[in-house]
Amino acid sequence: MNLLEGLNPEQLAAVTLPRQHALILAGAGSGKTRVLTTRIAWLIATNQMTPQQVLAVTFTNKAAKEMMARLTAMLPINVRGMWIGTFHGLCNRLLRTHYRDAGLPQLFQILDSSDQLSAIKRLLKSLNVDDEKYPPRELQHFINGQKEQGLRPSAVEAWDSYTKKRVELYEAYDAQCNKEGVVDFAELLLRCYELLSRNEALRRHYQERFRYVLVDEFQDTNVLQYRWLKLLTGPEAAMFAVGDDDQSIYAFRGADVGNMRDFEREYKVATVIRLAQNYRSHGNILDAANAIIRNNENRLGKNLWTEAGAGEPIRVFEAYSDLDEARWVVDEIRALARDGHARSEIALLYRSNAQSRVLEHALFSAGLPYRVYGGLRFFERQEIKHALAYLRLIANPDDDTSFARVVNFPTRGIGARSIEQLQDAAKAAGSSLFAAAAQTSGKAAAFVALIAKMKESAHLPLPELVDQVVELSGLREHYRADKEGQDRLANLDELVNAAASFVAEEGVVGAEGELSADLIAFLAHAALEAGEHQAGEGDDALQLMTTHSAKGLEFNIVFLTGLEEGLFPHENSLVERDGLEEERRLMYVAVTRARRRLYLSHAQTRMLHGQTRYNLPSRFIEEIPAGLVKWLTPRMAKQGGAHGGVSSRLTLDEPRATYSSRASGSGTAYRIGQGVRHAKFGEGIIVNLEGGGEDARAQINFGNAGMKWLALSVAKLETV
């Protein structure tokens, strides 16, 4: 076969480069995997290297297997002996070969994330360390973070007693792992890096062996991974780095997009090839993505284009509420199905996991099968099941399954031995575990008292009850102490919203004694939604996922929901260094998942922690040129909005209160949800109206300027 057939000019230039350091800026959908594998095949086919002289690094086992499968189809070679794999896989291979030099037993074992956490818990227990002051998961995050920076305990700077203690625990953890002959994932890379750093003969051996070092997804490398690559790239070798700085979205995992510029500078890279021709999406989608990402300052720069034509305009929907948004999504999907579109080619994207709950409920109610990609359905998530277990104990203390789930979660010192004793006592008395615990003293009795205290709130409205239980249970405090617990906290807040929505939809149905009947009905509702409409393998089901999970995937039709300031971009990004730029890159990734049709939606109001929140549309919508957009709700689009792009007057179909401000001389009628402009505060949205005539006033969300109450008779507001 002709290896070079069908390559576009930029792809051809990348594949046939002479041996030199090169940076390939591969845009979304530009065929980077084809370029990478064809480059390897071409070098082998033209006798510039043997299969054993290539080192190719990917980020997932799936990508490594795909690369090897493509190479096998291109050339009659045995890929088993080639060094193609993930960072962790290749480090494991090298350490297995040189285990003595690395100070490891021949049959060393690898701890996955769960095993590592168990090892840390065991360590804390053996040292009598308070695991509430030093939460195991947070300590795990700290240890892995230091290793990914290439730091052993002796090299970690500790400026306070708390950090000093964590460094001591890191040192003790290292000693425990060495004694037991085990390594965690972060240790694989660090141990391999240290081995190559100190063993010059071994380093030279591999540098002379690997004439070509090829790296996929280079924008996702962290500090230590880049150092490891540099160690293996000898004076006679060439590094071929393929990546896209516009798709760098994993800073929270340690990825350093600055590695791309460092590589270009340190290796004096003379060749930077931009793969900008996109083979996935229609032109309007790419033009929107280009317009959004252009607002980032620190870019290497490229502009995606396609020969596929402009395609359909980007559809934008403005909902009154998050429930309204979800109903619209369902209606639109039904219409698409009637037109013959497969559900499996439709993706619903959202910024955070908690947003899936409203969408899931709407799909469940409509009987539409769906699959949550890369995660669990809302009512199946760990923190939600914990909270529901507490609620079930309030409703039925004899529920042994719920008792066993949360009696020691969050940790309250009731270990496996104590639970066994309770089980024996319950069996002897023919009672429930809860009843047996009530006959004891100490920590088990304290848990019974906690449930009794929760039950005192059972007469409250359901959302308030759920909120109280989540707080009293210690779940919020537990996940707040976990550096990776933000998503779980957001899901717990969303459970409060779920309760509020349930009451609004089902109505207050009274009480049964001291217990709200709403609670019983809500628990049944949660169980049904968790267990029904599970899409089977191969079923034609909708795909739900976060924007992070969507990277690397593509769909004919994409719904990108919840595009509101504070949600996407996330409110944390506005205070973090380079946070907004990473959020914009995430938006760029989300937009470029769509092949043919892209929907963007936002809601004027959204439930948050049981309260209605009023939001401004995301600046990312406003960064899209007006000519690319088709509004699905009546708008008055114009340039120069709150964030410098498209702005619009909010127009709703639902009737709402209208106030006339005749005293202002304008005779203008104001409505809740209306967009207005103030000379000092800029553009905002009316979220509340009070009084009438001379006394009429409006509460307005001015975004960055905050929430303001203004007298309509003197405010001189312009409608927008």
Side-chain angles (χ1 to χ4, degrees):
M1 63 178 293
N2 183 356
L3 294 175
L4 306 181
E5 186 177 353
L7 297 176
N8 66 39
E10 291 75 24
Q11 291 174 333
L12 180 63
V15 167
T16 59
L17 271 175
R19 191 170 65 182
Q20 60 180 278
H21 301 303
L23 179 60
I24 312 301
L25 287 179
S30 64
K32 72 176 178 64
T33 305
R34 182 184 183 190
V35 166
L36 205 53
T37 51
T38 307
R39 169 71 170 167
I40 296 171
W42 183 77
L43 289 170
I44 294 171
T46 55
N47 298 316
Q48 296 185 59
M49 70 173 184
T50 66
Q52 288 70 37
Q53 289 179 310
V54 63
L55 175 69
V57 189
T58 67
F59 266 82
T60 65
N61 288 316
K62 179 182 176 184
K65 288 177 182 176
E66 181 183 353
M67 191 178 295
M68 288 190 280
R70 290 195 186 197
L71 281 171
T72 302
M74 289 178 177
L75 294 174
I77 58 173
N78 182 1
V79 297
R80 287 185 176 272
M82 298 179 68
W83 284 63
I84 298 176
T86 63
F87 282 100
H88 293 122
L90 294 171
C91 286
N92 175 56
R93 180 172 176 178
L94 197 147
L95 290 173
R96 295 283 176 195
T97 306
H98 306 284
Y99 65 91
R100 286 194 184 92
D101 294 319
L104 290 169
Q106 184 175 9
L107 301 177
F108 68 83
Q109 298 299 304
I110 299 172
L111 301 176
D112 63 18
S113 182
S114 176
D115 292 335
Q116 184 191 23
L117 185 61
S118 296
I120 289 172
K121 288 178 179 177
R122 195 157 38 84
L123 174 75
L124 295 177
K125 187 173 183 180
S126 70
L127 297 176
N128 294 317
V129 173
D130 184 354
D131 61 5
E132 291 190 4
K133 186 174 182 181
Y134 297 94
R137 194 175 295 278
E138 186 176 322
L139 183 58
Q140 179 185 32
H141 184 81
F142 171 78
I143 291 171
N144 290 341
Q146 303 311 311
K147 289 187 177 185
E148 286 167 3
Q149 292 291 318
L151 301 176
R152 288 295 182 193
S154 59
V156 179
E157 292 185 350
W159 301 103
D160 55 75
S161 58
Y162 183 74
T163 307
K164 286 178 182 176
K165 183 63 177 178
R166 290 204 295 181
V167 172
E168 289 174 16
L169 292 171
Y170 174 16
E171 190 169 17
Y173 167 77
D174 261 4
Q176 175 179 288
C177 289
N178 287 330
K179 179 184 174 184
E180 297 174 2
V182 297
V183 297
D184 55 50
F185 280 154
E187 181 71 19
L188 280 172
L189 188 64
L190 179 55
R191 183 75 65 115
C192 188
Y193 172 77
E194 290 172 338
L195 171 62
L196 292 169
S197 295
R198 68 172 180 264
N199 193 322
E200 184 180 352
L202 193 64
R203 182 173 68 252
R204 193 183 309 118
H205 165 76
Y206 282 105
Q207 287 180 345
E208 290 173 356
R209 173 176 180 162
F210 299 132
R211 307 301 300 277
Y212 289 88
V213 177
L214 302 97
V215 193
D216 192 13
E217 304 286 7
F218 192 72
Q219 77 280 351
D220 293 335
T221 54
N222 62 30
V223 171
L224 187 58
Q225 286 164 343
Y226 181 42
R227 288 183 191 167
W228 183 84
L229 287 166
K230 290 196 289 184
L231 275 184
L232 286 167
T233 306
E236 302 302 318
M239 193 187 301
F240 186 86
V242 181
D244 183 3
D245 58 324
D246 290 335
Q247 294 190 77
S248 179
I249 59 172
Y250 296 123
F252 64 95
R253 293 183 188 168
D256 186 352
V257 69
N259 286 345
M260 299 186 79
R261 288 193 180 277
D262 289 346
F263 168 60
E264 189 178 7
R265 184 186 70 256
E266 292 170 8
Y267 283 83
K268 298 180 174 57
V269 176
T271 303
V272 177
I273 296 176
R274 289 167 169 79
L275 303 182
Q277 184 173 358
N278 178 283
Y279 294 91
R280 176 190 300 157
S281 307
H282 284 156
N284 284 338
I285 293 170
L286 298 180
D287 289 346
N290 289 330
I292 291 166
I293 202 65
R294 203 173 290 131
N295 290 279
N296 275 2
E297 294 179 1
N298 300 313
R299 297 177 62 225
L300 293 169
K302 66 184 173 311
N303 211 51
L304 297 178
W305 63 278
T306 181
E307 292 180 344
E312 302 174 7
I314 294 162
R315 293 161 168 84
V316 181
F317 180 79
E318 179 180 73
Y320 170 58
S321 67
D322 48 355
L323 297 176
D324 183 32
E325 179 186 45
R327 284 191 291 266
W328 164 76
V329 168
V330 166
D331 291 343
E332 199 67 27
I333 288 170
R334 282 173 166 160
L336 290 167
R338 287 194 297 270
D339 290 341
H341 295 281
R343 286 191 290 262
S344 59
E345 280 298 336
I346 302 174
L348 278 60
L349 308 185
Y350 34 83
R351 174 62 180 83
S352 63
N353 272 305
Q355 290 171 251
S356 78
R357 202 273 310 169
V358 175
L359 293 170
E360 286 189 57
H361 177 62
L363 295 172
F364 167 83
S365 301
L368 290 171
Y370 66 91
R371 188 178 294 108
V372 178
Y373 180 89
L376 296 170
R377 290 165 174 247
F378 182 78
F379 284 109
E380 294 171 348
R381 292 168 191 165
Q382 178 201 84
E383 60 279 10
I384 299 303
K385 294 180 83 169
H386 287 330
L388 291 174
Y390 280 105
L391 290 166
R392 289 194 177 98
L393 283 176
I394 293 173
N396 175 21
D398 295 331
D399 182 344
D400 282 356
T401 301
S402 294
F403 181 93
R405 182 178 188 91
V406 296
V407 65
N408 197 40
F409 193 94
T411 305
R412 48 178 62 90
I414 304 174
R417 180 66 187 140
S418 299
I419 294 173
E420 284 178 17
Q421 291 172 345
L422 284 176
Q423 290 171 333
D424 291 342
K427 186 175 181 180
S431 70
S432 66
L433 291 173
F434 187 91
Q439 301 303 312
T440 66
S441 58
K443 293 173 181 175
F447 177 73
V448 170
L450 174 64
I451 300 301
K453 184 176 181 180
M454 289 179 178
K455 195 163 184 175
E456 292 173 5
S457 303
H459 64 283
L460 294 172
L462 183 61
E464 294 180 37
L465 170 60
V466 173
D467 191 39
Q468 280 269 54
V469 166
V470 169
E471 192 64 40
L472 290 173
S473 66
L475 288 172
R476 273 210 186 95
E477 185 179 353
H478 172 78
Y479 290 119
R480 200 176 287 126
D482 184 351
K483 283 196 173 181
E484 297 179 351
Q486 290 306 307
D487 267 1
R488 297 192 190 278
L489 284 170
N491 285 333
L492 290 172
D493 285 347
E494 188 58 32
L495 184 64
V496 179
N497 298 343
S501 297
F502 177 79
V503 170
E505 290 179 10
E506 302 296 328
V508 178
V509 292
E512 296 177 0
E514 298 177 354
L515 200 64
S516 166
D518 280 339
L519 173 59
I520 306 299
F522 179 64
L523 291 172
H525 159 81
L528 289 171
E529 285 216 7
E532 294 295 324
H533 296 289
Q534 291 282 2
E537 197 66 36
D539 287 355
D540 184 25
L542 299 161
Q543 309 295 309
L544 273 67
M545 66 196 73
T546 64
T547 45
H548 278 99
S549 297
K551 189 172 181 292
L553 304 176
E554 55 187 76
F555 305 91
N556 286 340
I557 300 167
V558 169
F559 289 80
L560 183 48
T561 62
L563 284 169
E564 295 137 34
E565 286 292 300
L567 199 56
F568 196 7
H570 195 278
E571 57 191 356
N572 291 349
S573 71
L574 304 179
V575 296
E576 293 173 351
R577 182 175 176 268
D578 298 327
L580 184 57
E581 294 221 340
E582 175 134 344
E583 287 289 292
R584 191 172 279 112
R585 292 194 292 266
L586 186 57
M587 178 69 178
Y588 175 85
V589 166
V591 167
T592 54
R593 298 311 93 195
R595 295 191 194 106
R596 301 175 188 170
R597 185 180 293 187
L598 176 63
Y599 293 90
L600 308 178
S601 64
H602 67 93
Q604 293 179 27
T605 64
R606 188 173 296 273
M607 292 287 286
L608 184 69
H609 195 54
Q611 302 291 321
T612 300
R613 171 170 152 174
Y614 299 88
N615 302 307
L616 291 168
S618 169
R619 68 190 69 202
F620 299 149
I621 295 178
E622 300 178 352
E623 289 172 357
I624 300 173
L628 301 176
V629 171
K630 175 184 178 181
W631 300 104
L632 300 182
T633 39
R635 316 272 299 204
M636 287 177 62
K638 59 180 177 53
Q639 296 298 320
H643 305 293
V646 175
S647 179
S648 60
R649 177 172 61 85
L650 305 179
T651 306
L652 301 171
D653 295 332
E654 300 188 24
R656 59 196 58 238
T658 301
Y659 289 71
S660 179
S661 177
R662 301 183 192 279
S664 67
S666 63
T668 302
Y670 295 103
R671 311 180 299 284
I672 293 176
Q674 185 174 32
V676 294
R677 182 186 293 107
H678 186 271
K680 179 178 179 182
F681 304 123
E683 289 194 0
I685 295 176
I686 296 176
V687 299
N688 202 359
L689 289 162
E690 286 185 357
E694 294 284 345
D695 297 324
R697 64 178 192 147
Q699 187 181 27
I700 304 171
N701 185 345
F702 285 108
N704 291 337
M707 200 79 73
K708 311 287 183 185
W709 277 103
L710 299 178
L712 294 177
S713 59
V714 296
K716 296 182 180 179
L717 297 173
E718 296 178 20
T719 58
V720 298

